[in-house]
Amino acid sequence: MQFPDLTTSSGALLMAAVLGTIAFATSGVVAAAAAKMDLLGAVVLAVAVAVGGGTLRDILIGNLPVTWVKHSWPLIVALGTALVGLVALRVRPGHDPTERLWYLATDAVGLGAFVVVGTSVAIQHGTSLFVAVFMGVISGVGGGVVRDLFTDRMPILFTGQVYGSAAIIGAIAFVLLDRMKVVEPVKVWVPLALVVVLRALAVRYNLYLPRAGGNSETGEGS
């Protein structure tokens, strides 16, 4: 089963896909502004963040051509979001605390949305539940890794923050709800909200995973 087409599909899953695309594209624009990129670089980054995780997922599960090649709406939504974001930044430049809040909020929403969408697409494509969780995590964190690498940051996934672990929990929650045959809105929005809440709590209380080397010191939050 292919990823839902915006022109023919409806429902909570498609809404989550659109929401995730907008959120990650916005985080890309904010990150580009902080990295002092030019306008073209900001647009390219926004699109790359919005489709990066899903592209990797599609390649790994053999869902080819990848989603945004078959259905152009993710590119259109990402480009539109990038342009609106750039205009907003030019008209009303943000202050560092405001930009940080937008960055964290949109990143969390994008993470949760694409974890749900990625897990669902993998299940629909016939993978095992274990692989579906893995694909959901890749879909969720992939865009953020692209964004951080392109803006010369250590990817948040590798800094010890509750990020990849939040994605894992969200993907598992989706699989469990899917096995329980709950209605689609619950199956989609509960795991998405769970990921967002976990990220919010991690940022609010500066929560980190234990370091591999046993060092209890935490790094600087992003």
Side-chain angles (χ1 to χ4, degrees):
M1 181 174 181
Q2 304 296 343
F3 187 81
D5 183 349
L6 187 62
T7 62
T8 60
S9 301
S10 60
L13 186 64
L14 183 56
M15 291 175 60
V18 175
L19 177 63
T21 302
I22 293 172
F24 262 161
T26 302
S27 79
V29 169
V30 175
K36 309 301 182 184
M37 288 185 173
D38 60 27
L39 295 178
L40 179 59
V43 172
V44 171
L45 181 64
V47 174
V49 175
V51 304
T55 298
L56 180 55
R57 175 206 65 224
D58 286 345
I59 292 172
L60 289 174
I61 66 176
N63 187 25
L64 302 172
V66 297
T67 297
W68 57 268
V69 174
K70 289 180 292 190
H71 308 302
S72 60
W73 71 262
L75 292 181
I76 296 172
V77 171
L79 284 170
T81 301
L83 294 176
V84 170
L86 288 172
V87 170
L89 287 174
R90 300 285 289 186
V91 172
R92 188 174 182 179
H95 302 291
D96 286 344
T98 303
E99 289 185 357
R100 172 179 163 79
L101 179 61
W102 269 104
Y103 175 83
L104 292 172
T106 55
D107 180 62
V109 172
L111 176 67
F114 280 122
V115 163
V116 168
V117 172
T119 307
S120 177
V121 171
I123 291 174
Q124 293 169 3
H125 205 72
T127 70
S128 68
L129 297 182
F130 176 79
V131 171
V133 169
F134 188 61
M135 290 299 115
V137 173
I138 287 177
S139 298
V141 306
V145 170
V146 169
R147 178 195 60 227
D148 293 342
L149 290 175
F150 281 15
T151 54
D152 199 26
R153 299 182 180 186
M154 170 66 75
I156 189 173
L157 178 64
F158 306 132
T159 62
Q161 295 194 43
V162 178
Y163 192 78
S165 51
I168 293 172
I169 293 171
I172 291 174
F174 180 89
V175 166
L176 292 176
L177 292 172
D178 183 68
R179 295 299 93 185
M180 294 168 60
K181 307 296 184 183
V182 301
V183 294
E184 184 181 79
V186 173
K187 182 173 64 175
V188 170
W189 297 116
V190 168
L192 193 160
L194 179 60
V195 173
V196 173
V197 169
L198 288 174
R199 280 295 297 139
L201 291 174
V203 172
R204 173 64 178 82
Y205 295 104
N206 202 31
L207 302 178
Y208 285 79
L209 299 177
R211 299 282 183 174
N215 189 341
S216 60
E217 295 181 1
T218 60
E220 182 182 358
S222 59

